[in-house]
Amino acid sequence: MAMKAKKINKMLDEAIPLRHPLKLNEAMRYSLLAGGKRVRPILCIASCELNNSDESLAMPIACAIEMIHTASLIHDDLPCMDNDDLRRGKPTNHKVFGESTAVLAGDAFLSFAFEHIACNTNNVSPDRLVRIFAELSSVIGSKGLVAGQFVDIESEGKVVSLKELEYIHVHKTAKLLEACVVCGVIIGGGNDNDIEKVRIYARFIGLLFQVVDDILDVTKSSVELGKTAGKDLVSNKATYPKVMGIDEAKNFAYHLMNQVVQQLACFDTAKAAPLYHLAYCIANRQN
Amino acid sequence: MAMKAKKINKMLDEAIPLRHPLKLNEAMRYSLLAGGKRVRPILCIASCELNNSDESLAMPIACAIEMIHTASLIHDDLPCMDNDDLRRGKPTNHKVFGESTAVLAGDAFLSFAFEHIACNTNNVSPDRLVRIFAELSSVIGSKGLVAGQFVDIESEGKVVSLKELEYIHVHKTAKLLEACVVCGVIIGGGNDNDIEKVRIYARFIGLLFQVVDDILDVTKSSVELGKTAGKDLVSNKATYPKVMGIDEAKNFAYHLMNQVVQQLACFDTAKAAPLYHLAYCIANRQN
């Protein structure tokens, strides 16, 4: 996984050269190359490899997905949104480059992601690429990331139901994860059954992540978490432990993990190893 | 042209239904359906028809281009950008829906444009669609619209050379116009020669628009223009009349119009009529 991340970082670095207008490209590079575990591109490449296809097929799409993710982070941090000063321990994009540049850097990524796929994907039939475009574009806008961020902003300071929380989580996080694996399988030549399996896999790990997050909030201390523990209890936020009780929430997480394993059973175990690994990491994380 | 615009308005109206989250979709509809002459989609459809192809082939792309144009207007108007309160006589998007919604509505259009093309274009081979994606995405980001807006914002209050002005104009306006006609010809089945002809046509009308704009600024009164005349003279802005003199600027406009006519000579005159018409309107406008 570390080797994959290194290769992805190299490709991302090469994708945005320092050309005119310099400051705009600097701003794009600042956020794109600010670290991060590259979970999304790794998922995309691993899904491509499920069908013995080479990672190079999926690399442009994997990079494009990281660009889309970066665009959403830059815009989410803006003063008119979450107004965050820090991201991964570094000043946010608008803090360094100014608000107008941050808006434009995000905009540039949203279109460059598609340009990068269209111009750099080789040895793939155009009909597969059109499917990728349809899949990927649908998880960004008013049915995806943007919708999640919109409802998140609108629900600030209000009593948030579990249904609304799930809506936000599905749209802000889970849909893009789903696009990672689905696009990976499509580009790797997987069939409709493979696509369906990884689609459900992605939904389960998305949900698993949220349930584990909620459990950690009530079972760990602030020191163990590295952030304020018990926040969900004092806020009006609905959580799985609150709604179903802590034991039932743990059972639910266990059930989700079993479902994940089931979805991957039809693939070669060695090829599916990164997808298993990611699910185990999510289920067993301690902070 | 009026009939085409009416049909385009109907398609745009249907493209963004009022679904959850309601306010986000309302904000998108507010700016998309706020009027406007629909020059870009009309150009795209007319270019498709040059090769006797039906307008329905180009309609999703034509609508997508208007969405991209709308996204750029919403973001350009933001307080951190040009800080405009009015657009086409109506309050700007962020004035009505708030800044965060305006940012998100623009973001949603940038991705929905691609989704709309990928999901609604019928009877077109996928390889043509991939070319459309490459062409269109390349004129939005850090080599297109975004770059133009960035340099425009950065040059505020500074002495701006003709070269910089041209950069801004080419990137903020001309490149998207070029994409309109190029994508129209590609989707309509035109060959490489056709593409080259309309590409040059678009460059000439983009330039023509700027030269005529500069001439009007020094030859017309504020009442005739409907905006402050002589603005370019008192500002540090370089203009064609300033650099080459008013008579030479008029000659240049005449020369550009001749070039436009030459580029269209290879097409059927009736089919190319909307493209001629647009050039004449630009050359002969009085405000």
Side-chain angles (χ1 to χ4, degrees), chain A residues 75 80 100 107 115 137 141 143, chain B residues 75 80 100 107 115 137 143:
Chain A
H75 282 189
C80 67
S100 61
D107 289 356
E115 185 182 350
S137 56
K143 284 172 285 185
Chain B
H75 282 190
C80 68
S100 61
D107 289 354
E115 185 183 348
S137 57
K143 285 172 284 184

Side-chain angles (χ1 to χ4, degrees), chain B residues 55-66:
Chain B
E55 65 168 26
S56 62
L57 284 188
M59 190 56 90
I61 300 165
C63 289
I65 289 174
E66 192 68 13

Side-chain angles (χ1 to χ4, degrees), chain A residues 19-21 23-25 28 75 78 80-81 99-101 103-104 107-108 110-112 114-115 118-119 126-127 129-130 133-134 137-138 140-143 146-147 149-151 153-154 167, chain B residues 19-21 23-25 28 75 78 80-81 99-101 103-104 107-108 110-112 114-115 118-119 126-127 129-130 133-134 137-138 140-143 146-147 149-151 153-154 167:
Chain A
R19 67 184 151 219
H20 180 70
K23 192 180 145 195
L24 174 64
N25 287 290
M28 292 172 75
H75 282 189
L78 285 170
C80 67
M81 303 272 197
E99 222 175 309
S100 61
T101 303
V103 172
L104 291 172
D107 289 356
L110 286 181
S111 60
F112 187 63
F114 293 102
E115 185 182 350
C119 300
D127 59 311
L129 271 187
V130 173
F133 281 119
S137 56
S138 73
I140 304 171
S142 60
K143 284 172 285 185
V146 164
Q149 173 66 5
F150 178 83
V151 173
I153 294 269
E154 292 284 300
Y167 181 93
Chain B
R19 67 185 150 219
H20 182 69
K23 191 180 144 194
L24 175 64
N25 286 291
M28 293 171 74
H75 282 190
L78 285 170
C80 68
M81 302 272 195
E99 223 175 310
S100 61
T101 302
V103 172
L104 291 171
D107 289 354
L110 286 180
S111 59
F112 187 65
F114 293 102
E115 185 183 348
C119 300
D127 60 308
L129 270 187
V130 173
F133 280 119
S137 57
S138 73
I140 304 171
S142 60
K143 285 172 284 184
V146 164
Q149 173 67 3
F150 179 83
V151 173
I153 294 269
E154 292 284 299
Y167 181 93

Side-chain angles (χ1 to χ4, degrees), chain B residues 160 165 210-219 225 227-242:
Chain B
V160 182
L165 259 192
Q210 190 57 45
V211 176
V212 171
D213 212 51
D214 288 355
I215 294 172
L216 290 175
D217 186 73
V218 288
T219 56
L225 288 182
K227 62 179 184 183
T228 316
K231 262 200 315 189
D232 298 340
L233 275 179
V234 294
S235 76
N236 282 320
K237 229 170 110 176
T239 68
Y240 287 95
K242 254 194 220 171

